[in-house]
Amino acid sequence: MNCITIDDEPLAHKVIKNYCANLSFLNVVKECHSAFDAMNYLNENHVDLVFLDINMPKLKGLDFLRTLNNPPLIIVTTAYQEYAIEGYELNILDYLLKPFSFERFLKAINKAQSQKKMIDSLQNGTENQVFSNPKNTVNQNDSIFVKGDKKMHQIQLDSILYLESLGSYVKIHLENETITSLDRLTNFENTLPKNQFLRIHRSYIIALKKIQTIEGNRLKVAGIDIPIGNVYKHNLTHAIKK
């Protein structure tokens, strides 16, 4: 796994590089001392994993993350625990509080390995995007075809509970199973019928008729609590009234 470190503190780079040296499958290809250094590097190079500090001058780590259209796996490394919730809303893989031990570091790397294997598996069985022709995937608002796990799945729209974005892929939660597809949540948002599905969070699209309850900044679908993003509240209120 090719990695980069993004941190304005030289010692932080040294710690991570020393930890990575104990794991032969990790290759630190770049040490970036600002978000701008990382931005330039990622524009021209493929990276599997990023160790990202939050409190950096000029451009904060999470603000930098928001600029990435298709981010690599992200492990946040910071001394500030108050950004944890915001980080996970941006689909980070793990949140390491400085100073962190090698054992805690290894736990995060195990997550990264697992995610990387899943992504590679999906890529090996996927041609381009899940929707080869998004405009033609909805068949009379009854079903869609989705490629995942090296197979094409015909999914009945009535069986969809919600969709969850996890980095480079999307989990489609159905009534009786979950299908994982290599794609972006935005593609599903543009394809699914607007009168049946609504994006309520950066990482979630829900089936409107599957909503059980709404309370504060969360709603419940099939007994699962799902967050409502502040920028999506208006759309949800409008959909309910409509």
Side-chain angles (χ1 to χ4, degrees):
M1 297 177 65
N2 287 334
C3 318
I4 66 172
T5 56
I6 310 175
D7 203 306
D8 61 328
E9 298 179 4
L11 180 59
H13 291 281
K14 183 177 180 180
V15 169
I16 294 175
K17 195 170 183 179
N18 287 341
Y19 282 171
C20 288
N22 293 297
L23 304 170
S24 60
F25 57 88
L26 291 180
N27 180 29
V28 179
V29 295
K30 179 71 173 176
E31 296 179 21
C32 302
H33 296 273
S34 74
F36 297 105
D37 289 343
M39 194 177 298
N40 292 332
Y41 186 82
L42 291 175
N43 283 337
E44 299 182 0
N45 299 275
H46 171 76
V47 170
D48 299 304
L49 177 62
V50 172
F51 297 98
L52 177 65
D53 184 33
I54 288 180
N55 192 22
M56 294 184 292
K58 296 185 179 179
L59 183 61
K60 303 297 184 183
L62 295 183
D63 292 332
F64 159 74
L65 182 54
R66 291 186 183 93
T67 69
L68 302 180
N69 291 325
N70 191 22
L73 299 175
I74 303 291
I75 295 177
V76 166
T77 60
T78 180
Y80 302 91
Q81 63 181 1
E82 60 265 29
Y83 297 103
I85 295 177
E86 185 179 0
Y88 283 114
E89 287 181 348
L90 293 173
N91 294 325
I92 66 168
L93 189 64
D94 209 338
Y95 195 96
L96 300 182
L97 281 176
K98 299 175 182 177
F100 48 87
S101 65
F102 178 71
E103 288 75 17
R104 181 64 183 89
F105 175 83
L106 186 58
K107 183 177 179 180
I109 294 303
N110 286 337
K111 289 184 183 180
Q113 269 195 301
S114 177
Q115 294 276 39
K116 178 70 164 51
K117 288 178 181 178
M118 183 176 292
I119 292 171
D120 288 345
S121 175
L122 290 168
Q123 287 177 332
N124 290 336
T126 304
E127 298 175 3
N128 298 324
Q129 294 182 337
V130 170
F131 296 121
S132 58
N133 187 354
K135 293 183 180 179
N136 294 331
T137 54
V138 177
N139 181 17
Q140 297 179 350
N141 286 350
D142 291 332
S143 65
I144 56 174
F145 281 93
V146 175
K147 183 174 284 188
D149 193 26
K150 302 182 181 181
K151 295 179 287 188
M152 288 295 294
H153 301 264
Q154 181 173 201
I155 299 176
Q156 300 300 315
L157 297 185
D158 283 344
S159 69
I160 299 176
L161 300 172
Y162 63 96
L163 296 90
E164 179 183 9
S165 174
L166 293 171
S168 301
Y169 56 95
V170 173
K171 280 191 174 182
I172 307 166
H173 296 268
L174 309 176
E175 293 175 346
N176 299 313
E177 63 177 323
T178 299
I179 295 173
T180 303
S181 293
L182 182 70
D183 203 355
R184 297 174 58 192
L185 196 63
T186 300
N187 289 334
F188 286 92
E189 182 182 15
N190 294 334
T191 302
L192 293 168
K194 305 295 185 184
N195 62 333
Q196 299 180 48
F197 295 89
L198 183 69
R199 190 165 189 168
I200 61 162
H201 187 275
R202 180 185 178 93
S203 302
Y204 291 95
I205 292 174
I206 53 95
L208 286 166
K209 67 179 182 179
K210 302 294 184 179
I211 297 174
Q212 295 172 310
T213 59
I214 301 174
E215 183 178 2
N217 291 328
R218 309 189 76 81
L219 59 77
K220 194 179 292 288
V221 173
I224 304 297
D225 284 329
I226 299 175
I228 303 170
N230 290 331
V231 298
Y232 299 96
K233 281 183 179 180
H234 174 76
N235 293 340
L236 178 61
T237 301
H238 177 73
I240 292 171
K241 289 181 178 179
K242 187 176 179 180

